[in-house]
Amino acid sequence: MSTFIQPYVKIVNFKVHKDTRGALIALEEGHEFPFVVRRVYYIFGTLVDISRGKHAHRLLKQLLVATSGSVNISCEWDGNNENFKLDSPDKGLLIEGLVWREMHHFTSDAVLMVLADAPYSESDYIRNYDDFLRVSK
Ligand code: T46
């Protein structure tokens, strides 16, 4: 039998350390996100009219940050449907578990950085929408 964690979606606002030289943001386990980082990846060079994602995860916890440009993240979980616009490096989207996500409307300068609590594992993905609905019940 497969295991899942409860879906959780939340926008997190980061503290900006700004001075005359510019700005700095620090992301720390236990403050901005609640897990140990085991993997970092980033998505860039996306075409404006493409979308990515279209899957859910069984166990993965992630923090998504648009360090440059902007991108929309549509999330579906537990009967909720919400669109989040990541358009500034001072906020992130925490996504845990059974959340169907789609990233779309990337600007040409968008860089989407993702901190994840586990190494890449294809077996953690649910890529079929009907399977997602079935296991979400
Ligand atoms: C997610 C959203 C936000 C790897 O080899 N290692 C990795 O860590 C990742 C994430 C991907 N890959 C390979 C697997 C595919 O051959 O890179 C290729 C593209 O991956 P995928 O089509 O899954 O990418 P997205 O943009 O649809 O989804 C990604 C993450 O996979 C996913 O976990 O939540 O970004």
Side-chain angles (χ1 to χ4, degrees):
M1 197 168 89
S2 301
T3 333
F4 311 101
I5 58 164
Q6 282 302 308
Y8 185 71
V9 181
K10 189 187 172 206
I11 283 283
V12 184
N13 294 299
F14 308 140
K15 180 176 166 62
V16 182
H17 301 269
K18 206 168 185 178
D19 60 31
T20 52
R21 301 167 298 171
L24 182 153
I25 290 170
L27 305 179
E28 270 189 39
E29 176 215 341
H31 293 274
E32 288 74 20
F33 57 91
F35 53 80
V36 173
V37 176
R38 305 282 308 281
R39 175 166 54 110
V40 177
Y41 60 91
Y42 34 97
I43 295 168
F44 58 98
T46 41
L47 299 176
V48 173
D49 55 353
I50 64 100
S51 58
R52 306 184 61 116
K54 299 179 191 163
H55 59 252
H57 282 281
R58 298 171 193 277
L59 298 172
L60 195 65
K61 300 179 181 180
Q62 302 194 110
L63 179 70
L64 287 67
V65 183
T67 56
S68 164
S70 83
V71 54
N72 284 264
I73 321 276
S74 294
C75 294
E76 181 180 340
W77 76 102
D78 270 350
N80 302 292
N81 257 300
E82 234 178 292
N83 181 66
F84 301 92
K85 187 169 189 173
L86 295 181
D87 55 0
S88 165
D90 66 6
K91 66 180 170 190
L93 182 65
L94 196 57
I95 303 182
E96 302 183 1
L98 274 179
V99 178
W100 189 262
R101 80 285 315 263
E102 181 174 342
M103 303 92 81
H104 54 94
H105 289 91
F106 289 85
T107 55
S108 56
D109 58 346
V111 179
L112 180 64
M113 180 183 72
V114 183
L115 312 184
D117 78 335
Y120 177 73
S121 166
E122 189 55 38
S123 63
D124 192 63
Y125 283 74
I126 300 172
R127 294 196 182 269
N128 179 288
Y129 185 66
D130 290 335
D131 289 345
F132 163 72
L133 292 179
R134 189 171 45 77
V135 298
S136 292
K137 278 184 186 153

